Amino acid sequence: MRAMVLNEPKRPLELRDVPKPKPGKGQLLVRVSACAVCRTDLHVVDGELPDPKLPLIPGHQIVGHVEEIGEENSKFAIGDRVGIPWLSWTDGDCAYCRSGRENLCDNGRFTGYTVDGGYAEFTVADARYCFHLPERYDDVEVAPLLCAGLIGYRSYRKTNDARRLGIYGFGNAAHLISQIALHEGRELFVFTRPGDTATQQAAKKLGAVWAGGSDELPPAKLDAAIIFASVGPLVPAALRALAKGGVVVCGGIHMTDIPSFPYVDLWEERVITSVANLTRGDGEEFFKIAPRVPVKIKTETFPLEDANTALDRFRAGKLKGSAVLTIGA
Ligand SMILES: [Zn+2]
Ligand SMILES: [Zn+2]
């Protein structure tokens, strides 16, 4: 089968003919039709995350159809559409798994990072970690929901019942989560790169009450802020925008260093937290809510062999929507 392979970080992916994987016990063999590109893929390719499997097939927002089922019962049948997310496997047995926090599993495995992912014609996945996907969306549309949507949603849930919600970095995850926040009646304040008036206009068009540069303070104190940009200095900036007891949620897997800041900015029970990975529960919940809103998704498609172009355009901030690789017919 054809796959785009990372041989070593900081090098372009290579189009290769590799053996088709075989489904083990409890696994599905999935014919991939679409795989969305996540910022995390960039961090892996750019060598910003430690110890990826090498060589690696990246990609963890995978949509396809079940072609074969390894022995053992499964919640899927041959031909079913299936979504494969970042969380690939957990041990089910560590202190985190046993306390409902499988996203923090000591031995967790991750699709397109520590196991092969979906920049390929086929992939295998443990059926217990795969999702049935809402029928309202086609394969290309639904792919970005599998991470930008899902981990964005976990970040959003960590803001509790914040009435005034700030979002720093208005990319794919922010665009998806903003729609849910507005649907739930939150007031949305969007922060972009200073001077990026086009994105600020887009945020206002979507329904934000205010949009400005990340160097500005909002017109009202925020109850919570989510940072989707991988820019550490945004943490103290967001803290300064918070009301007492407010929370800053860092939604990315990688961020540049956070500069020091005066304690008074954290004082009065402000909180800084991060979001790591996802639980299967997050996915079940999100895929019920997304079609009800309904969350709309903007995509830009690339054929599998153009994965490097998609990554380059993502890195340069030149995409017009979530990049999705399309595979096969
Ligand atoms: Zn565990
Ligand atoms: Zn991701």
Side-chain angles (χ1 to χ4, degrees):
M1 67 164 189
R2 293 182 317 140
M4 293 299 287
V5 178
L6 179 71
N7 294 308
E8 68 180 290
K10 299 183 185 172
R11 298 280 303 278
L13 307 181
E14 189 193 339
L15 180 64
R16 278 185 21 202
D17 202 16
V18 299
K20 190 164 143 183
K22 288 195 174 58
K25 207 174 164 192
Q27 285 188 325
L28 309 172
L29 173 69
V30 174
R31 178 187 290 272
V32 180
S33 56
C35 185
V37 178
C38 177
R39 183 169 291 281
T40 299
D41 300 345
L42 274 187
H43 293 317
V44 170
V45 171
D46 292 346
E48 289 167 331
L49 296 182
D51 308 319
K53 167 194 179 288
L54 288 175
L56 172 75
I57 301 172
H60 59 270
Q61 308 186 84
I62 308 168
V63 181
H65 289 83
V66 177
E67 180 113 341
E68 218 179 295
I69 299 174
E71 58 173 303
E72 220 172 67
N73 290 328
S74 162
K75 58 177 181 177
F76 295 92
I78 304 284
D80 279 1
R81 183 161 85 148
V82 55
I84 307 174
W86 170 248
L87 187 71
S88 168
W89 185 87
T90 60
D91 59 15
D93 193 41
C94 72
Y96 299 101
C97 285
R98 279 188 277 117
S99 57
R101 294 178 293 167
E102 64 181 1
N103 60 309
L104 300 177
C105 178
D106 279 332
N107 297 299
R109 294 177 197 158
F110 303 102
T111 313
Y113 178 34
T114 59
V115 301
D116 280 333
Y119 288 15
E121 289 176 316
F122 292 90
T123 192
V124 290
D126 187 319
R128 296 171 301 165
Y129 296 86
C130 296
F131 297 112
H132 289 284
L133 300 170
E135 281 174 13
R136 146 172 215 120
Y137 300 113
D138 67 28
D139 293 0
V140 166
E141 286 174 319
V142 80
L145 295 184
L146 278 154
C147 187
L150 229 155
I151 293 184
Y153 182 70
R154 186 174 176 85
S155 307
Y156 172 63
R157 279 291 164 240
K158 286 206 174 236
T159 64
N160 304 316
D161 49 5
R163 188 162 68 87
R164 294 196 180 109
L165 175 66
I167 293 191
Y168 287 77
F170 200 67
N172 302 331
H175 184 256
L176 300 177
I177 287 322
S178 294
Q179 297 176 61
I180 295 183
L182 291 165
H183 178 75
E184 294 189 343
R186 315 301 169 96
E187 282 178 37
L188 201 63
F189 297 76
V190 171
F191 300 79
T192 69
R193 279 194 191 93
D196 184 357
T197 49
T199 306
Q200 290 164 16
Q201 292 296 336
K204 280 189 200 151
K205 207 173 148 204
L206 192 72
V209 294
W210 179 88
S214 58
D215 56 345
E216 295 176 54
L217 282 174
K221 295 266 187 192
L222 307 175
D223 302 308
I226 307 174
I227 303 179
F228 286 119
S230 51
V231 181
L234 290 176
V235 174
L239 267 182
R240 282 193 293 276
L242 288 187
K244 290 183 270 193
V247 57
V248 174
V249 180
C250 303
I253 190 170
H254 169 82
M255 205 179 226
T256 57
D257 286 354
I258 300 169
S260 73
F261 55 86
Y263 175 63
V264 69
D265 290 347
L266 184 65
W267 169 241
E268 294 168 327
E269 304 200 344
R270 291 175 180 87
V271 174
I272 303 172
T273 188
S274 64
V275 160
N277 315 317
L278 66 133
T279 66
R280 283 170 279 181
D282 296 327
E284 304 295 347
E285 206 178 308
F286 176 70
F287 284 123
K288 271 193 208 121
I289 291 173
R292 281 210 301 260
V293 171
V295 172
K296 296 202 177 79
I297 304 117
K298 277 194 296 185
T299 58
E300 196 174 332
T301 58
F302 299 82
L304 173 65
E305 55 271 25
D306 289 350
N308 288 311
T309 310
L311 289 167
D312 289 345
R313 289 176 56 86
F314 197 155
R315 199 183 285 107
K318 285 186 179 153
L319 290 169
K320 303 234 173 344
S322 298
V324 180
L325 305 180
T326 54
I327 296 133

